[in-house]
């Protein structure tokens, strides 16, 4: 990582125009490199991309790919055909070495959710999909786009808001997304260099400027409140604060806990806070209870654990992330021991990873859902997050009697699967499966399957159950008494949707 001065954004619009004119976009890269070479870049394998740029000759697009993604020197004349090269040199985007020029920063094309052509600026070799993957390991390194940042962008609710806060902005990816639907964006980071990269990312992407503040957690914003808070924090549970971009500097999962606990006081009514995080699985303690205890008063919460690793897997993952496996074997072993000592001292047997969403509410009894869902989902999930909390509101406002008076429709793209021995008269069980959103699957009994299958919004739940009772020759009163719990489950998980305009 270079520690020299970063580029200035004053003529970023001029540079952006040249990049777009050359086709230096996500779609343009795919067309030039082809799918296999493009995918190889995400694995930090550059040979296929280099071959593709050689096949493309020395035109503007191959030259820009070699410069900004592969960090290869490019002849001055070829760079001048692609860029306002003297302006790029003067503003620090490039440096000259005799008859060649080199990039001073990674610039990666990034496609926005509505087809926008954006650019993420990060340290050399630190744009995932760039020349060296994330191979630089100096303390203040600023990374580009990675799986965590795109995951957070995908789950974030995208509704118009007055104010948004990107806490721990890094290279500004979440701030860039927020700028599309927030009137005012504030971005913070403990690393001042990260804020400079955020400024460059926004400018080169043609986005409005953000308020940039240096500091840890909520300290830079004082008592300010927001309609949306997002954070991909340095959540790694590690022995010490070795790397700013990933290590929070607090013991165990205290940084994630503190972030969640303090977020409630910084949310406006109805506002959302969305984070990625790690949490400890402590011997003798239920992890559900651990993360549930983090939720601040006055907030609904939806916490989803997406993955869990034992402490050896976790230590190895982050040792490799830092490149420690390439160092002296004795040094690697010492660092590994440090990680295991840290976990042993905290009685940690595993580490969970997932999403945390808070919503500021005035409800007397907030809804707190903590679950494990390691299966594939459909991104983006912002609409699914909004729908989850809308369903919680509905269930909170309807007792069993009013639930039976309600009308429901089966959610889009729900299919029924019957599981049983071949040729058997009746299935062992019935599964309802979603093909959208969280893509959940749940077992239901014959009544539940029949109920869901006829929900088209025309009849109340009670009338449907009465008809099912008549068909099955059951007591309708008994069926009405035992079914609301199943209806609640189907509504909560998104298999059934309440028909709008039914009153309270």
């Amino acid at each position: 990582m270079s520690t020299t001065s970063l580029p200035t954004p004053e003529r970023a619009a001029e540079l952006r125009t040249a990049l777009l004119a050359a086709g230096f976009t996500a779609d343009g890269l795919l067309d030039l490199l082809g799918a296999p070479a493009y995918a190889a870049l995400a694995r930090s394998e550059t040979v296929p991309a280099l071959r593709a740029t050689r096949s493309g000759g020395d035109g503007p697009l191959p030259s820009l790919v070699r410069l900004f993604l592969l960090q290869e020197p490019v002849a001055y004349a070829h760079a001048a055909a692609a860029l306002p090269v003297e302006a790029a040199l003067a503003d620090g985007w490039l440096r000259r070495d005799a008859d060649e020029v080199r990039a001073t920063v990674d610039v990666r094309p990034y496609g926005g959710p509505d087809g926008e052509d954006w650019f993420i600026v990060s340290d050399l070799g630190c744009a995932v999909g760039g020349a060296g993957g994330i191979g630089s390991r100096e303390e203040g390194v600023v990374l580009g786009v990675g799986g965590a940042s795109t995951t957070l962008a995908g789950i974030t609710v995208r509704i118009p808001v007055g104010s948004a806060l990107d806490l721990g902005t890094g290279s500004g990816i979440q701030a860039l997304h927020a700028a599309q639907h927030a009137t005012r964006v504030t971005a913070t980071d403990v690393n001042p260099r990260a804020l400079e990269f955020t400024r460059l990312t926004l400018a080169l992407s043609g986005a409005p400027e953000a308020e940039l503040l240096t500091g840890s957690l909520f300290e830079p914003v004082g008592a300010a409140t927001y309609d949306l808070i997002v954070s991909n924090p340095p959540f790694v549970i590690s022995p010490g604060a070795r790397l700013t971009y990933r290590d929070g500097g607090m013991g165990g999962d205290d940084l994630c806990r503190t972030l969640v606990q303090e977020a409630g006081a910084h949310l406006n009514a109805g506002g959302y806070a969305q984070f990625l995080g790690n949490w400890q699985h402590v011997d003798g303690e239920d992890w559900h209870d651990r993360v549930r205890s983090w939720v601040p008063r006055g907030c609904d919460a939806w916490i989803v654990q997406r993955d869990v690793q034992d402490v050896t897997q976790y230590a190895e993952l982050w040792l490799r992330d830092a490149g420690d496996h390439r160092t002296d074997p004795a040094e690697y072993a010492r660092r590994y021991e440090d990680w295991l000592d840290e976990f042993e001292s905290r009685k940690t047997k595993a580490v969970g990873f997932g999403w945390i969403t808070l919503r500021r509410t005035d409800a007397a009894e907030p809804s707190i859902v903590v679950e494990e869902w390691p299966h594939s989902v459909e991104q983006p999930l912002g609409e699914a997050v909004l729908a989850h909390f809308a369903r919680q509101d509905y269930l909170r406002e309807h007792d069993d009697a009013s639930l039976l008076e309600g009308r429901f429709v089966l959610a889009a793209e729900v299919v029924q699967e019957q599981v049983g021995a071949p040729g058997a008269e009746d299935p062992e069980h019935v599964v309802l499966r979603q093909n959208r959103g969280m893509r959940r699957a749940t077992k239901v009994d014959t009544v539940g399957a029949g109920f869901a299958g006829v929900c088209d919004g025309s009849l109340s739940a009670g009338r449907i159950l009465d008809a099912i009772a008549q068909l099955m020759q059951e007591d309708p009163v008994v069926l009405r008494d035992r079914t609301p719990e199943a209806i609640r489950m189907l509504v909560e998980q998104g298999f059934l949707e309440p028909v709008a305009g039914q009153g309270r």
Side-chain angles (χ1 to χ4, degrees), residues 482-496:
R482 78 167 193 249
T483 306
E485 182 178 354
I487 296 175
R488 285 186 179 277
M489 182 274 293
L490 292 173
V491 172
E492 180 175 5
Q493 295 193 1
F495 290 94
L496 295 179

Side-chain angles (χ1 to χ4, degrees), residues 167-351:
L167 192 153
T169 186
S171 54
I173 299 155
Q174 309 308 323
L176 178 57
H177 279 276
Q180 312 309 305
H181 62 105
T183 303
R184 175 174 57 88
V185 176
T186 299
T188 71
D189 206 288
V190 71
N191 181 2
R193 294 185 75 252
L195 299 176
E196 292 306 311
F197 275 110
T198 294
R199 191 190 310 276
L200 296 173
T201 289
L202 294 175
L204 198 58
S205 299
E209 293 184 7
E211 178 186 31
L212 304 176
L213 303 174
T214 305
S216 178
L217 295 175
F218 290 100
E219 179 271 330
V221 301
T225 57
Y226 301 87
D227 302 312
L228 174 67
I229 300 172
V230 292
S231 182
N232 177 18
F235 54 67
V236 176
I237 299 171
S238 59
R242 179 180 168 203
L243 299 171
T244 303
Y245 75 90
R246 71 171 201 191
D247 301 326
M250 296 186 183
D253 52 19
D254 283 354
L255 183 131
C256 288
R257 175 185 57 79
T258 302
L259 179 62
V260 174
Q261 288 180 336
E262 293 183 355
H266 293 275
L267 281 176
N268 293 326
Y272 288 85
Q274 298 186 269
F275 315 115
L276 302 184
N278 275 175
W279 41 80
Q280 297 168 176
H281 285 224
V282 178
D283 191 30
E285 179 182 301
D286 188 325
W287 74 266
H288 298 79
D289 295 337
R290 184 179 190 86
V291 294
R292 185 180 287 109
S293 71
W294 295 358
V295 178
R297 293 183 61 185
C299 287
D300 291 332
W302 185 20
I303 301 172
V304 182
Q305 179 168 279
R306 296 287 290 154
D307 190 19
V308 62
Q309 293 181 311
D310 67 47
V311 293
T312 60
Q313 292 173 312
Y314 189 81
E316 290 161 14
L317 169 68
W318 294 109
L319 287 166
R320 288 194 301 270
D321 171 80
D324 292 325
H325 60 304
R326 302 190 189 100
T327 62
D328 175 69
E331 178 67 12
Y332 175 79
R334 185 189 66 78
R335 290 191 184 278
Y336 202 150
E337 290 274 8
D338 289 343
W339 284 74
L340 296 183
D341 287 345
E342 173 76 7
F343 288 131
E344 184 176 344
S345 70
R346 296 180 181 278
K347 299 182 179 180
T348 301
K349 58 184 180 179
V351 177

Side-chain angles (χ1 to χ4, degrees), residues 54-80:
R54 286 198 295 268
S55 299
D58 295 317
L61 182 54
S63 295
L64 292 174
V65 171
R66 288 195 287 269
L67 264 177
F68 288 117
L69 275 187
L70 305 178
Q71 277 91 64
E72 292 288 315
V74 170
Y76 179 94
H78 297 153

Side-chain angles (χ1 to χ4, degrees), residues 5-8 86-95 102-105:
S5 299
L6 296 179
T8 60
E86 286 301 323
L89 287 165
D91 288 354
W93 296 92
L94 303 175
R95 61 181 176 86
R102 288 181 176 270
T104 61
V105 289

